[in-house]
Amino acid sequence: MGEIVLKAEGVAKTYRPGGSTVPVLRDLFLEIEAGHFTIVLGPSGSGKSTLLNLLGLMDAPDEGEIYFSGQPTRRLDEERRSRLRNERLGFVFQFDSLLPEFTVLENVLMPARIAQAQGRGPGRRESDARARQLLSRLGLAKLFERFPYQCSGGERQRAALCRALMNKPTVLLADEPTGNLDKTNGEMVFKDLQEMAREQGVAVVMVTHNDSARTFADRVFLMQDGTVSQDLQGTRQ
Ligand SMILES: Nc1ncnc2c1ncn2[C@@H]1O[C@H](COP(=O)(O)OP(=O)(O)OP(=O)(O)O)[C@@H](O)[C@H]1O
Ligand SMILES: [Mg+2]
């Protein structure tokens, strides 16, 4: 068993819009391992994005605790949460978020540039080499100097994956990253996520309603009635 880098323990979350209550998560336990590609499958509205927001320290649970590398996070102040987010987490979303006025290579380098500006992370030469290596690894070597509008949707999502990996995160969180892609491109992204988890030693967590992701995953969890349970059917475990 790999190192547990992220753990949800007894997590509950209820939204309270305008005086009403929308209970979404309750009594949720989840352990995420380094080097594994973990997926959480569930229908629309089941609470997948809510869970990812909690795991990504963008929101705090009402009850329970999220442990990041063994450290409880609920009582951390916003500054320390945001530092953890910036330095230890990578995100990929459904709609690609590459900045249109920068080239693919510049987009991938962006997290490294921000870290450099804050006086951390490796120097320019090393970052540049890593960005080129990641893009080449995912078959995007010809796209360094292209702008996002000159790339396909699948290429943009894979470049967004390189960007999320740029600063060597402990955990990479992906929310329906293939929602806009056709089957072939979607499966290419699943495969990349699986291989990057292993090669980079990063814990990859993806939430999706797309059942075809399960054949690529090391662990499959199903989201139902506000909680998750491990599903052993049809996985490589
Ligand atoms: N800020 C909010 N305020 C109130 N209710 C919310 C809020 N965000 C989400 N919800 C509700 O919480 C439930 C879970 O939403 P969530 O976005 O986590 O689902 P999801 O599984 O990601 O769905 P999808 O597959 O459509 O993205 C839904 O009923 C949604 O309407
Ligand atoms: Mg969602």
Side-chain angles (χ1 to χ4, degrees), residues 15-17 22-25 42-53 94 175-176 207-209 223:
Y15 294 110
R16 302 179 192 284
V22 183
V24 181
L25 304 178
S44 181
S46 59
K48 303 183 298 296
S49 295
T50 301
L51 172 61
L52 218 64
N53 286 343
Q94 172 171 1
D175 192 343
E176 209 72 79
V207 300
T208 181
H209 60 252
M223 180 145 242

